[in-house]
Amino acid sequence: MTAAGAGPAALEITGLSAGYGPIRVLQDVTVSVAAKEIVSLLGPNGAGKTTTLLACSGMAKVSAGDIRLGGRSLLRLSPHVIARRRLAHIPGDRSLFPSLTVDEHLRLCARPGGLDVLELFPELKKRRNRRAGVLSGGEQQMLALGRALAADPQVLLVDEMSMGLAPVVVERLFSALREIAASSGLAVLMVEQHVHLALKYAQRGYVLAGGRVRTQGTAEELEERWPEIETSYLGR
Ligand SMILES: Nc1ncnc2c1ncn2[C@@H]1O[C@H](COP(=O)(O)OP(=O)(O)O)[C@@H](O)[C@H]1O
Ligand SMILES: [Mg+2]
């Protein structure tokens, strides 16, 4: 099931239960993202947003439901094989190699058809030979995003891209993401703590709490309903 007006889902999570070892975090989570679409996962700390992304990348244990990329199930595939199916994941900690340079990161991940990252983020051009560990937070996030896009993904998962960054940098990163999704057909599922920021850049959103999807809608609907959503589902 996809949003009205959107194409077939690039990423389709249905009835997903997942967690870690014997711990079940998610229950019956259904989320879809179409090509060219940016979809936001919202909800309080501990809601299961990160776990949803980890399950897609094969890093959380799925006990029920399905996750399909371009119609093919990702269940029981290793993270490595899932990445080769053109699913990219930018974790909250960005997972850069501090001692590798910008160029080395990009060379490791570049694939034919991938984006020219230095074209997208000219800021990184001047830093090509710098090690990732000495870059500013904003430059590191540009590198993390650039590295993911250089691999020409079909679906991109992004966890808390704005974490610890100045608002002007955050807007720059999200605008870049929006342009790329619109022009390349990339489907983006992003986790974002800042609700208004998330709803500014996403077309749709899902609200998770306690491991379940409590409500969903277009960004406009969720923005309008937010005070009610906070009271009804987030206990605020
Ligand atoms: N590696 C793990 N092992 C066990 N429990 C975990 C692990 N990671 C997260 N959890 C638990 O799963 C729940 C959801 O966490 P998470 O998906 O990180 O939430 P969110 O990203 O929405 O803040 C939390 O209760 C958290 O304590
Ligand atoms: Mg999280």
Side-chain angles (χ1 to χ4, degrees):
M1 190 179 66
T2 53
L11 179 70
E12 199 156 31
I13 304 170
T14 42
L16 180 71
S17 293
Y20 308 93
I23 303 163
R24 182 181 294 189
V25 174
L26 303 177
Q27 281 185 67
D28 199 22
V29 167
T30 294
V31 165
S32 69
V33 190
K36 290 178 186 278
E37 204 181 22
I38 300 182
V39 169
S40 200
L41 289 181
L42 305 165
N45 258 329
K49 305 182 297 295
T50 294
T51 303
T52 304
L53 301 191
L54 290 174
C56 294
S57 309
M59 294 186 281
K61 191 179 153 200
V62 173
S63 48
D66 201 0
I67 303 168
R68 291 179 167 269
L69 190 147
R72 294 164 77 195
S73 179
L74 298 178
L75 292 195
R76 288 177 292 279
L77 300 181
S78 70
H80 180 69
V81 172
I82 291 172
R84 281 213 308 256
R85 296 246 179 122
R86 295 173 60 213
L87 180 134
H89 187 162
I90 308 176
D93 66 6
R94 295 164 197 157
S95 287
L96 298 171
F97 302 102
S99 63
L100 292 192
T101 66
V102 167
D103 262 351
E104 285 166 341
H105 275 92
L106 298 178
R107 272 207 305 273
L108 272 176
C109 300
R111 255 185 261 175
L115 208 93
D116 185 342
V117 176
L118 300 179
E119 200 69 24
L120 177 68
F121 295 124
E123 295 92 327
L124 292 179
K125 229 179 223 170
K126 293 172 272 173
R127 305 268 186 272
R128 293 178 76 143
N129 299 313
R130 291 284 185 88
R131 292 170 195 269
V134 301
L135 300 177
S136 71
E139 290 165 346
Q140 287 186 2
Q141 192 59 280
M142 281 176 199
L143 179 56
L145 179 57
R147 177 178 64 168
L149 294 172
D152 191 29
Q154 198 179 343
V155 171
L156 176 66
L157 312 175
V158 195
D159 204 343
E160 309 231 18
M161 187 156 77
S162 72
M163 181 88 90
L165 301 182
V168 59
V169 178
V170 171
E171 298 277 348
R172 170 106 172 75
L173 288 160
F174 276 118
S175 315
L177 201 51
R178 180 160 63 187
E179 275 171 35
I180 289 153
S183 63
S184 76
L186 177 70
V188 180
L189 180 60
M190 66 174 189
V191 168
E192 185 50 61
Q193 281 287 335
H194 297 100
V195 173
H196 302 293
L197 181 72
L199 295 177
K200 177 176 166 187
Y201 287 97
Q203 285 92 52
R204 291 188 300 120
Y206 294 81
V207 179
L208 263 75
R212 290 177 180 275
V213 174
R214 303 297 167 166
T215 188
Q216 59 172 292
T218 65
E220 294 76 27
E221 286 163 1
L222 291 176
E223 185 72 65
E224 194 177 310
R225 290 176 50 213
W226 198 255
E228 166 231 315
I229 289 170
E230 286 205 310
T231 329
S232 309
Y233 306 109
L234 311 181
R236 287 180 195 153

mmCIF file of all heavy atoms in Angstrom, residues 44-51 92 159-160 163 191 193, ligand 2:
data_model
loop_
_atom_site.group_PDB
_atom_site.id
_atom_site.type_symbol
_atom_site.label_atom_id
_atom_site.label_comp_id
_atom_site.label_asym_id
_atom_site.label_seq_id
_atom_site.Cartn_x
_atom_site.Cartn_y
_atom_site.Cartn_z
ATOM 1 N N PRO A 44 8.811 9.619 20.048
ATOM 2 C CA PRO A 44 9.719 9.905 21.164
ATOM 3 C C PRO A 44 10.921 8.962 21.195
ATOM 4 O O PRO A 44 10.960 7.965 20.469
ATOM 5 C CB PRO A 44 8.839 9.679 22.394
ATOM 6 C CG PRO A 44 7.794 8.724 21.943
ATOM 7 C CD PRO A 44 7.549 9.009 20.496
ATOM 8 N N ASN A 45 11.882 9.282 22.028
ATOM 9 C CA ASN A 45 13.021 8.409 22.281
ATOM 10 C C ASN A 45 12.550 7.026 22.677
ATOM 11 O O ASN A 45 11.642 6.902 23.488
ATOM 12 C CB ASN A 45 13.842 8.976 23.446
ATOM 13 C CG ASN A 45 15.067 9.683 22.932
ATOM 14 O OD1 ASN A 45 15.612 9.302 21.883
ATOM 15 N ND2 ASN A 45 15.498 10.707 23.632
ATOM 16 N N GLY A 46 13.171 6.028 22.117
ATOM 17 C CA GLY A 46 12.823 4.668 22.488
ATOM 18 C C GLY A 46 11.603 4.122 21.763
ATOM 19 O O GLY A 46 11.148 3.007 22.033
ATOM 20 N N ALA A 47 11.066 4.885 20.792
ATOM 21 C CA ALA A 47 9.846 4.470 20.087
ATOM 22 C C ALA A 47 10.085 3.281 19.171
ATOM 23 O O ALA A 47 9.162 2.529 18.855
ATOM 24 C CB ALA A 47 9.300 5.641 19.269
ATOM 25 N N GLY A 48 11.337 3.132 18.704
ATOM 26 C CA GLY A 48 11.634 2.047 17.767
ATOM 27 C C GLY A 48 11.997 2.550 16.372
ATOM 28 O O GLY A 48 12.059 1.767 15.423
ATOM 29 N N LYS A 49 12.283 3.830 16.251
ATOM 30 C CA LYS A 49 12.592 4.410 14.930
ATOM 31 C C LYS A 49 13.904 3.842 14.385
ATOM 32 O O LYS A 49 13.963 3.375 13.254
ATOM 33 C CB LYS A 49 12.688 5.954 15.039
ATOM 34 C CG LYS A 49 11.445 6.594 15.649
ATOM 35 C CD LYS A 49 11.540 8.111 15.708
ATOM 36 C CE LYS A 49 12.669 8.645 16.587
ATOM 37 N NZ LYS A 49 12.510 8.317 18.028
ATOM 38 N N THR A 50 14.939 3.900 15.199
ATOM 39 C CA THR A 50 16.240 3.369 14.777
ATOM 40 C C THR A 50 16.145 1.869 14.503
ATOM 41 O O THR A 50 16.711 1.367 13.530
ATOM 42 C CB THR A 50 17.311 3.666 15.860
ATOM 43 O OG1 THR A 50 17.498 5.083 15.913
ATOM 44 C CG2 THR A 50 18.641 3.001 15.559
ATOM 45 N N THR A 51 15.413 1.173 15.341
ATOM 46 C CA THR A 51 15.248 -0.280 15.149
ATOM 47 C C THR A 51 14.585 -0.589 13.806
ATOM 48 O O THR A 51 14.945 -1.559 13.140
ATOM 49 C CB THR A 51 14.431 -0.874 16.317
ATOM 50 O OG1 THR A 51 15.096 -0.563 17.544
ATOM 51 C CG2 THR A 51 14.282 -2.379 16.187
ATOM 52 N N GLY A 92 22.969 7.042 12.898
ATOM 53 C CA GLY A 92 23.048 8.263 13.690
ATOM 54 C C GLY A 92 24.476 8.706 13.976
ATOM 55 O O GLY A 92 24.760 9.899 14.046
ATOM 56 N N ASP A 159 19.329 8.247 9.722
ATOM 57 C CA ASP A 159 18.960 8.351 11.143
ATOM 58 C C ASP A 159 19.473 9.662 11.736
ATOM 59 O O ASP A 159 20.685 9.866 11.825
ATOM 60 C CB ASP A 159 19.539 7.154 11.907
ATOM 61 C CG ASP A 159 18.757 6.852 13.175
ATOM 62 O OD1 ASP A 159 17.980 7.737 13.626
ATOM 63 O OD2 ASP A 159 18.909 5.738 13.719
ATOM 64 N N GLU A 160 18.563 10.534 12.095
ATOM 65 C CA GLU A 160 18.891 11.784 12.804
ATOM 66 C C GLU A 160 20.016 12.571 12.144
ATOM 67 O O GLU A 160 21.031 12.871 12.773
ATOM 68 C CB GLU A 160 19.252 11.475 14.266
ATOM 69 C CG GLU A 160 18.182 10.625 14.916
ATOM 70 C CD GLU A 160 17.706 11.176 16.234
ATOM 71 O OE1 GLU A 160 17.938 12.371 16.514
ATOM 72 O OE2 GLU A 160 17.079 10.418 16.986
ATOM 73 N N MET A 163 21.324 15.815 13.932
ATOM 74 C CA MET A 163 21.900 15.731 15.282
ATOM 75 C C MET A 163 23.191 16.537 15.443
ATOM 76 O O MET A 163 24.193 16.288 14.771
ATOM 77 C CB MET A 163 22.188 14.264 15.603
ATOM 78 C CG MET A 163 22.766 14.046 16.974
ATOM 79 S SD MET A 163 21.456 13.848 18.159
ATOM 80 C CE MET A 163 21.252 12.072 18.086
ATOM 81 N N VAL A 191 14.657 9.272 9.924
ATOM 82 C CA VAL A 191 14.279 9.437 11.325
ATOM 83 C C VAL A 191 14.726 10.826 11.728
ATOM 84 O O VAL A 191 15.860 11.218 11.447
ATOM 85 C CB VAL A 191 15.005 8.391 12.203
ATOM 86 C CG1 VAL A 191 14.867 8.738 13.677
ATOM 87 C CG2 VAL A 191 14.479 6.994 11.920
ATOM 88 N N GLN A 193 14.265 13.849 14.941
ATOM 89 C CA GLN A 193 13.712 14.291 16.224
ATOM 90 C C GLN A 193 12.952 15.605 16.085
ATOM 91 O O GLN A 193 11.988 15.849 16.786
ATOM 92 C CB GLN A 193 14.844 14.501 17.248
ATOM 93 C CG GLN A 193 15.366 13.231 17.871
ATOM 94 C CD GLN A 193 14.397 12.625 18.862
ATOM 95 O OE1 GLN A 193 13.561 13.313 19.431
ATOM 96 N NE2 GLN A 193 14.488 11.322 19.043
HETATM 97 MG MG MG B 2 17.047 6.431 17.388
#
